[in-house]
Amino acid sequence: MLFPTTDFAIFFVIVFAVAWSLASRPAAWKVFLLGASYFFYGWWDWRFVFLLAASSALNQGAALGIARAGAGGLAARRWLVAAVTANLGLLGWFKYYGFASLNLDHLFASFGLGQPAPLIVATLPVGISFFTFMGLSYVIDAYRGVLEPSGWLDAFVYLSFFPHLVAGPIVRGKEFLPQMTGKLDHKRIQLSRAAKLIAAGLFKKVVISSTLATNIVDPVFAAPSQHSSLEILFAVYGYAIQIYSDFSGYTDIAIGVALLLGIEFPQNFDRPYTARNLQDFWRRWHITLSTWLRDYLYIPLGGNRNGRVASYRNIVITMVLGGLWHGAGWTFIFWGLFHGVGQVVGHARRQRAVPEAGVAPPRPSSPARVFAGQFATFNLVCLGWVFFRAD
C-alpha cells in the first residue's frame, strides 16, 4: 500500500464519511472521490499525479474522438492507434526502457560494438500497469462499439479510483461507469459483505503473507545454498501461499472498500489452487488480467481461428507478454513462457483425445482423477513461482 496501515485507515474513514455525506449530490460526490484518489496516489510521489491525470485525459480524449468519428471507421482507427501507441509508450518508458537498453548494450558489446553505456532507470510509477491497461480497454471498447464514452468527470474517476489504482483488479469501463449514474443509495451499500472482505483481506496480508515472507520465504530465497532441500521445498510452497494471500488479500480489501463507496468490482480470484490444469488455473487466478489478455491480446492475434499451430503460438505470445507485464526481467519472461508452453502441452493432450467427429469422449471424474489433476497443477504452478520470485 502507498499508505502505512494506520494512515490508510484514517484516510478511508474520512473518505467514507465525506462520500456518504455527499451521496445526494452526485457531481460533488464524484469530484470528492477524484480528489481523494489523487491525494491517495500523490502521497507516494505527488509528481506522478500529473502523469495519472495526463493518462486519463489521453484516453478520454481518444475515446471521445472515436465516438465522434464513428466506431470502426478510418478516423476512429487513427484515434485508436494514437491512443494505444501513447499508452504503450508511457508504459514502455517507465517500466521497460532500462531493461531493454541494458540488454541491448550488452548484446552490442558482446559483438565488439562499443561498451555498455551508463544505465538510465526511470522511477516506476506505482500502479502504471493497472491504469494503463484500464485506459487501453476503455479506448478499445469505445472503438469496438461496446462502450459509449462517458463524461470527463466520470472517466477521470474511473481511471483513478483509489481502491483499484495501485494493484487492481483491472476493472473495465463497461463494468464501472454504469455505476456512476444517479445518486449513491445508502440502502444498496453491502456493509456486512464489505466488512468481511476487508477483514479477510487484512488477515491474509498482515498475518499469513507477512509471516510466511519473514520467517520462511525470504531467508531461503535469499540464500538457498545455505538451506536443506526440505527447507527449500517448504519455502517454495510457502511462497505459493504467500503470493496468493498477499494479492488476493489486497483484492479483497479493494473490493470491500469500493463496496462501501457504492461501487462493485468483478471477482479476481476463484480458488486457483484447486485448478485441474494450467488453463483452468488462469480462469481462476487474477481473473481480470487473464480475461484482459484474452480479449485484448489473444483474440486480436487470431485466437484459435487459424488452426492448431497458430492457436498454440498465440497462447505462448500472450503468456510471455503477460509475464513481462508483471515485471521487466528475464525471470518474468521465462515464467510467462513456462505457463504458455504448459498450456500448449495441456491443449495438445486434450485434443488428442478428441476423435474424428470432434466430440470428446466422456471421461470419468473420479475423486482420484480430480485430485491427481489438482496435485499436478499445483506443483507445476509452484515450480513456475520459483522463477517468478527468484532474483
Side-chain angles (χ1 to χ4, degrees), residues 72-216:
L74 178 60
R77 194 174 302 117
R78 289 172 177 167
W79 276 108
L80 175 66
V81 170
V84 170
T85 302
N87 275 290
L88 295 181
L90 283 173
L91 184 62
W93 166 256
F94 282 105
K95 193 166 184 176
Y96 303 110
Y97 173 78
F99 172 71
S101 62
L102 177 65
N103 282 276
L104 285 173
D105 279 351
H106 282 287
L107 177 64
F108 292 146
S110 68
F111 288 100
L113 302 176
Q115 296 297 319
L119 181 62
I120 299 175
V121 179
T123 302
L124 182 64
V126 172
I128 188 171
S129 298
F130 288 94
F131 66 72
T132 298
F133 268 29
M134 286 191 292
L136 284 170
S137 71
Y138 180 61
V139 174
I140 294 171
D141 283 351
Y143 176 77
R144 291 175 174 176
V146 300
L147 170 72
E148 186 72 24
S150 66
W152 283 88
L153 180 57
D154 286 12
F156 269 61
V157 172
Y158 157 59
L159 291 170
S160 64
F161 191 48
F162 73 89
H164 67 52
L165 180 59
V166 176
I170 301 174
V171 187
R172 303 192 194 183
K174 61 184 179 182
E175 297 167 331
F176 186 98
L177 291 168
Q179 300 182 69
M180 296 294 290
T181 59
K183 301 177 181 179
L184 174 63
D185 185 358
H186 294 161
K187 296 179 181 179
R188 290 191 297 108
I189 302 296
Q190 303 176 49
L191 286 173
S192 61
R193 182 187 170 206
K196 290 176 183 177
L197 283 167
I198 293 172
L202 287 171
F203 181 80
K204 288 179 183 178
K205 284 185 67 67
V206 176
V207 178
I208 300 177
S209 179
S210 296
T211 300
L212 286 171
T214 303
N215 298 311
I216 299 177

Side-chain angles (χ1 to χ4, degrees), residues 359-372:
V359 179
R363 301 184 67 186
S365 297
S366 65
R369 182 180 293 275
V370 171
F371 175 77

